[in-house]
Amino acid sequence: MQNNTFSTLFVGQNLIKLKEVDSTNNFLKDLVSKSEPLAEGTVIMADNQFAGRGQQESVWQTQAGKNISTSIYLKPSFLPLNKQFYLNIAVSLAVSDALSYFIPEGIKVKWPNDMYYKNKKLGGILIENTLTGTSIRSSVIGIGLNVNQSKFSESISERATSVIQILQRNVPLMDIMAKIFMFMEKYYLILRAGKYSILQNDYLARLYNFNIPALYKKDGELFEGIIKGVEDGGRLAVETNEGLKTFNFKEIEFTHTK
């Protein structure tokens, strides 16, 4: 464990760096289950994550030492279960603000919480909550970002991008991490204060395809829709030819903007 001088109250003040791990989320969840009460804001960071995961068991592949693979421990017991998607919103805003510090234009959040630059994926977020009764006991927030990886496998090269590809220069990983910690704390405190409308408005302002006619796919069939918002529970509201419909995670597939 290391003491750091990040300009935060608690996020990142306890940073554990690893050379290699299957998944920073798995490591942190194991640490939580085995150790004495862990300090809120504890961060796990790995040079190489060889079995990273995305939403609903998607695989996240990353090149060793080039990208950000990290997990953050929070205890949002103040958050009602019917508002838990607002934690996704707060984290998404934090990461998008951190990226926007280095890339001033073009950063968007693709629902529910992928990071996009224009039409290409920069990274993603995986939040795993542990529940106690009607509240969240703890949250493990996994963040994967393409930073200094300049080449991707042929299967994803058309859909993925990285900070180095956008800026044409290396950016130190810890510089981005410091901004993530700072913005994470900012939005987490807004969340703790119950200022949901601020979070909702900021999220919609950054939402990929918001209020733009685009093509989507459900059950293999294409349809045109316009994203109109996100419900408190996280369902995506889309205006279609058949009226306003809502979709859960993985129920709708994004295609290219018209």
Side-chain angles (χ1 to χ4, degrees):
M1 294 190 182
Q2 304 180 8
N3 290 320
N4 299 279
T5 55
F6 298 113
S7 56
T8 54
L9 295 172
F10 58 96
V11 176
Q13 290 301 315
N14 181 27
L15 174 64
I16 301 170
K17 288 186 177 180
L18 307 171
K19 290 299 291 181
E20 186 173 79
V21 71
D22 61 340
S23 154
T24 55
N25 266 30
N26 287 349
F27 184 92
L28 185 49
K29 286 191 296 182
D30 193 49
L31 188 65
V32 170
S33 68
K34 290 181 178 177
S35 68
E36 294 295 317
L38 199 62
E40 186 170 31
T42 292
V43 175
I44 308 296
M45 185 178 184
D47 286 340
N48 185 31
Q49 180 177 245
F50 55 84
R53 291 175 295 125
Q55 288 286 348
Q56 298 193 356
E57 304 307 317
S58 300
V59 176
W60 175 259
Q61 297 178 334
T62 184
Q63 202 173 77
K66 298 285 188 180
N67 303 315
I68 286 176
S69 299
T70 191
S71 294
I72 301 171
Y73 177 66
L74 295 174
K75 296 190 284 187
S77 57
F78 54 84
L79 192 62
L81 289 186
N82 64 353
K83 299 282 191 184
Q84 63 180 303
F85 187 73
Y86 280 92
L87 179 61
N88 286 53
I89 289 176
V91 175
S92 298
L93 290 174
V95 178
S96 66
D97 275 16
L99 288 169
S100 295
Y101 179 86
F102 299 92
I103 306 165
E105 295 181 359
I107 298 297
K108 291 289 183 181
V109 180
K110 177 172 166 277
W111 175 86
N113 47 21
D114 280 340
M115 294 297 128
Y116 263 51
Y117 173 74
K118 298 184 176 177
N119 290 316
K120 292 193 172 186
K121 185 173 178 177
L122 256 176
I125 296 163
L126 175 65
I127 299 178
E128 298 181 275
N129 295 324
T130 300
L131 307 180
T132 301
T134 58
S135 65
I136 301 172
R137 188 174 73 194
S138 64
S139 297
V140 172
I141 295 157
I143 301 167
L145 294 176
N146 301 327
V147 180
N148 294 321
Q149 182 170 338
S150 56
K151 293 182 180 179
F152 296 91
S153 65
E154 192 173 324
S155 63
I156 66 167
S157 61
E158 289 186 2
R159 297 180 285 116
T161 191
S162 61
V163 175
I164 193 174
Q165 287 183 336
I166 298 163
L167 297 179
Q168 295 298 301
R169 63 178 175 86
N170 269 43
V171 176
L173 299 184
M174 292 312 297
D175 287 1
I176 298 179
M177 291 286 284
K179 293 299 177 186
I180 289 174
F181 297 163
M182 183 183 77
F183 287 116
M184 182 77 72
E185 193 162 282
K186 170 190 169 180
Y187 285 108
Y188 187 64
L189 293 176
I190 291 172
L191 179 69
R192 193 152 74 185
K195 297 177 179 178
Y196 302 122
S197 60
I198 290 175
L199 296 172
Q200 174 82 241
N201 291 337
D202 285 357
Y203 185 75
L204 293 181
R206 292 164 175 76
L207 194 59
Y208 180 74
N209 279 1
F210 180 64
N211 262 337
I212 297 172
L215 292 175
Y216 300 93
K217 189 181 289 185
K218 185 179 188 300
D219 299 329
E221 293 189 8
L222 280 173
F223 69 94
E224 183 178 319
I226 302 174
I227 293 175
K228 304 305 290 185
V230 180
E231 295 181 343
D232 281 1
R235 291 177 69 89
L236 186 69
V238 181
E239 187 69 50
T240 73
N241 291 334
E242 299 173 355
L244 190 68
K245 294 189 173 182
T246 62
F247 300 92
N248 214 336
F249 310 131
K250 299 289 186 180
E251 275 188 348
I252 186 174
E253 184 180 336
F254 284 63
T255 64
H256 293 296
T257 303
K258 290 187 67 179

